[in-house]
Structures are given as structure tokens and as C-alpha cells.
Amino acid sequence: MLIFVFLIIISAVFYLYYKTKQIRTRLPVRKNWYASRAQIALGSFIAFFGINQLFVFQTVVTYIIAGIFIVLGLALIVHNFKANRHYQAFLDEETRLNP
């Protein structure tokens, strides 16, 4: 499926973008916020890769491995979405305290 290839590429680009932003910032909360956003992109990359493999190869081994990828990707997305919301609450305060 071409749509999943596009989504995989977009996820990889967002991962690299947020990792670069994480490395460049010096503020600790913002660094953690960018790290959680990068991990969300990585989780979506892994999940989309697993879904794409279901359409490309259709064997029992592929179904098992793709299932593991999908579950791992969704777990990364959920966990880091919660972390992202946690750090989001402190961004304004950190920006205000560090001009």
C-alpha cells in the first residue's frame, strides 16, 4: 500500500525533526517534551511499518512479527502521548523563567 509507505516516510521525517530540536535546546522541560514527541513519531513509524508488512508479505511469521511491531508502536504512542501532555503543562512556566 502506497499510503503506508508515505506515512512511514512522514513519521521518520518527524522523528528526525524532533530529535534535532531536542539536541539543540538547552531547557530541560522542553528537551523532554521534544523527546516525547520524537518517541510518538517513532511509535507511529513502527506501527505503520508493521501494518505495511501485513499487506506486502502474507505468511504466518509475518503476521506474528507485524503484530509485535503494531503493539510495540501503539504502546510507544500511548506512553509518550501521556508524557507529552505532562510536559506540555510546564512549557509556559519554563519559558517565562528562562528568557
Side-chain angles (χ1 to χ4, degrees), residues 2 27 34 38-39 81:
L2 193 56
L27 302 174
Y34 283 134
Q39 291 297 316
F81 183 74

Side-chain angles (χ1 to χ4, degrees), residues 7-92:
L7 291 173
I8 289 169
I9 293 169
I10 293 298
S11 298
V13 168
F14 275 116
Y15 175 75
L16 292 173
Y17 173 75
Y18 285 122
K19 268 306 190 188
T20 304
K21 296 286 274 184
Q22 176 191 357
I23 292 169
R24 292 185 57 148
T25 189
R26 296 182 194 271
L27 302 174
V29 173
R30 191 163 300 269
K31 188 177 287 272
N32 289 336
W33 183 67
Y34 283 134
S36 67
R37 292 185 66 97
Q39 291 297 316
I40 291 171
L42 181 64
S44 64
F45 174 82
I46 293 171
F48 289 139
F49 185 79
I51 294 169
N52 188 42
Q53 291 304 307
L54 291 175
F55 291 108
V56 175
F57 303 108
Q58 297 179 350
T59 64
V60 176
V61 175
T62 303
Y63 291 144
I64 293 169
I65 293 174
I68 292 170
F69 276 27
I70 293 168
V71 169
L72 179 63
L74 291 177
L76 275 171
I77 291 170
V78 169
H79 178 269
N80 287 297
F81 183 74
K82 291 178 183 179
N84 184 33
R85 284 192 309 178
H86 172 73
Y87 292 124
Q88 182 80 33
F90 300 108
L91 283 179
D92 292 334

